[in-house]
Amino acid sequence: QMQVADFGGGSVQVGGSLRLSCVVSGITYDDYIIGWMRQAPEKDREGVAAIDNYDAITYADAVQGRFTISKGTDKNTVHLEMNNLKLEDTAMYYCVVLGGAPGGVKRLVDFDEYASWGQGTQVTVSS
């Protein structure tokens, strides 16, 4: 059974950096997307970044140029490097794994109900 473990959140000031990590075990899909979703209080859930089994990477417009998603030496580990954090980046961040086809953030968002989710890690940005 696949398991998704996400961690690395914390509290930083505006302009600071954090690195989130996700470890996926038991993945059996040939094609898949590993990505990050976030949800802030009273806001809709949104996709942040994604990388698929072909290493294709996509970002949400809101984080383009500030966040970097990458795979670790273990291909089932994914990191999200977050730089120049803004107040609006405050949210619970979830690592999400969607199998069945490669793709990007949009596919992750469109089919998130079929994905496997980590427990979430809180990111808080303060002024």
Side-chain angles (χ1 to χ4, degrees):
Q1 184 176 354
M2 184 167 60
Q3 293 185 322
V4 182
D6 46 27
F7 53 93
S11 297
V12 294
Q13 291 189 319
V14 170
S17 298
L18 280 174
R19 188 192 200 208
L20 306 184
S21 295
C22 174
V23 178
V24 183
S25 60
I27 192 166
T28 58
Y29 303 113
D30 291 329
D31 294 319
Y32 58 84
I33 306 166
I34 301 177
W36 295 88
M37 305 272 288
R38 68 185 181 185
Q39 185 157 26
E42 301 181 359
K43 291 188 177 180
D44 291 336
R45 198 159 53 196
E46 62 176 339
V48 176
I51 184 167
D52 69 13
N53 54 295
Y54 294 106
D55 294 339
I57 291 172
T58 55
Y59 298 99
D61 289 344
V63 306
Q64 181 78 47
R66 299 187 297 120
F67 290 12
T68 302
I69 189 170
S70 62
K71 288 182 179 175
T73 51
D74 174 355
K75 293 294 185 181
N76 290 339
T77 299
V78 170
H79 305 291
L80 184 68
E81 191 75 36
M82 306 186 295
N83 297 314
N84 191 20
L85 283 161
K86 302 178 180 181
L87 293 174
E88 52 265 40
D89 294 318
T90 295
M92 185 70 80
Y93 284 70
Y94 298 90
C95 181
V96 181
V97 182
L98 178 64
V105 171
K106 184 179 186 307
R107 179 174 174 80
L108 204 59
V109 171
D110 288 346
F111 297 99
D112 66 355
E113 68 266 36
Y114 301 107
S116 297
W117 291 67
Q119 75 280 6
T121 184
Q122 178 68 36
V123 172
T124 302
V125 185
S126 60
S127 59

